[in-house]
Amino acid sequence: MKALFMMILMVLFALPLAARDGGNPMQISVHANGNTTLFQLNDSPAAKALYDQLPLSIEVEDYGSNEKIFYPPKKLATEGTPPADAKAGTLAYYAPWGDVVMFYRAFGKAGGLYELGHALSGAEHIQSMSGTVTIEKSR
């Protein structure tokens, strides 16, 4: 009986957080200019740290010709967070500057760029985001 109990505990701790939480993954919605972009976050420490800071009303900025960025109030812990290979719709964190990046065009890889998640819907609205956006938990 003790062996069975230990096996059950091992299986439970091996399941991803979303599966233990009734199958509800962490999702966030970004509202800007009358449009909404929905992102599904991965189960990384950095994604959880961003999720814990929500809701936010925050300025979004253009950067380069493929991304919008914003600076969360607190830096995100990146240990255990996967590196990003950014495509259109990727949500990432650039640790050297402490900014969250929403890609509307492919970028690829860069040192210090970590994946937080990806757009489920509304990725086509990222490029037109400007000014203050509202970011909230969306379960």
Side-chain angles (χ1 to χ4, degrees):
M1 187 64 142
K2 184 176 179 181
L4 178 61
F5 178 73
M6 292 302 288
M7 187 181 337
I8 291 170
L9 281 178
M10 288 184 349
V11 168
L12 285 176
F13 284 106
L15 288 173
L17 180 62
R20 286 185 294 209
D21 191 25
N24 294 323
M26 291 184 293
Q27 294 181 353
I28 63 172
S29 55
V30 180
H31 306 283
N33 308 326
N35 298 309
T36 300
T37 303
L38 180 66
F39 290 95
Q40 181 167 316
L41 302 182
N42 59 31
D43 196 28
S44 70
K48 290 175 189 174
L50 176 62
Y51 193 77
D52 288 345
Q53 293 183 46
L54 301 181
L56 294 172
S57 280
I58 199 158
E59 286 289 314
V60 69
E61 304 172 24
D62 284 309
Y63 188 80
S65 60
N66 60 346
E67 63 195 65
K68 298 289 179 160
I69 64 171
F70 66 88
Y71 293 88
K74 298 177 188 168
K75 291 197 175 207
L76 310 181
T78 58
E79 187 174 324
T81 301
D85 184 3
K87 299 166 182 46
T90 296
L91 183 70
Y93 180 65
Y94 187 58
W97 294 354
D99 62 310
V100 174
V101 185
M102 297 176 285
F103 287 95
Y104 56 87
R105 288 194 183 108
F107 173 77
K109 300 177 183 182
L113 186 65
Y114 296 92
E115 186 170 332
L116 301 176
H118 63 277
L120 294 175
S121 64
E124 68 274 13
H125 303 303
I126 296 171
Q127 187 172 2
S128 64
M129 289 180 185
S130 63
T132 300
V133 300
T134 302
I135 307 169
E136 55 193 10
K137 297 175 182 178
S138 180
R139 280 206 180 214

